[in-house]
Amino acid sequence: MKCKSNYKDMKKYAEYKRNCQRRYRERTGSKKYERRAWTVEEDKLVLNSPFTDRELGERICRSVAAIWTRRNRLNNGESNNAD
C-alpha cells in the first residue's frame, strides 16, 4: 500500500485503502464463508493438500486466512475442534 504520508488528500487515501482491502478480501475469501467447526477431513486436507491455499479454500469453502490459522494450530498441537 502506498505510504499515508504521501497523500495530501486523506479522502483519496481512505478510498485507496478501502479498495486495497476489498481486493484482498475478494482474493482470499475473507468474510465470504460462514463460520463453522472444522472436520477431520478438512484438517487432513489442510496439512497434506496438493492444492494452493486459494484453491483449497474454494474447494472446502474456507478463507485463505482460516486455512493458514488452522494449519498453524494443527502444527502446534492445538487440535481441538472448538474453532
Side-chain angles (χ1 to χ4, degrees):
M1 186 179 321
K2 293 182 182 178
C3 184
K4 184 176 181 177
S5 63
N6 291 342
Y7 280 86
K8 294 177 183 175
D9 184 2
M10 284 296 114
K11 288 182 181 180
K12 285 187 178 184
Y13 171 75
E15 180 181 343
Y16 175 78
K17 186 174 178 180
R18 276 193 306 274
N19 285 334
C20 287
Q21 290 170 340
R22 180 188 47 78
R23 286 193 308 268
Y24 175 79
R25 285 191 303 273
E26 288 172 356
R27 190 174 70 240
T28 61
S30 301
K31 306 291 184 195
K32 185 176 178 182
Y33 304 109
E34 292 289 324
R35 186 179 174 100
R36 64 185 195 285
W38 287 84
T39 64
V40 175
E41 294 81 19
E42 288 175 332
D43 286 345
K44 289 178 185 176
L45 282 172
V46 166
L47 291 174
N48 302 314
S49 177
F51 307 110
T52 65
D53 288 347
R54 190 179 297 174
E55 293 170 340
L56 179 61
E58 291 175 3
R59 288 177 177 263
I60 64 173
C61 297
R62 301 276 185 176
S63 69
V64 174
I67 292 170
W68 292 339
T69 302
R70 188 62 178 175
R71 184 179 298 127
N72 188 21
R73 288 184 178 173
L74 290 172
N75 287 334
N76 289 330
E78 300 174 30
S79 61
N80 62 351
N81 216 5
D83 298 340

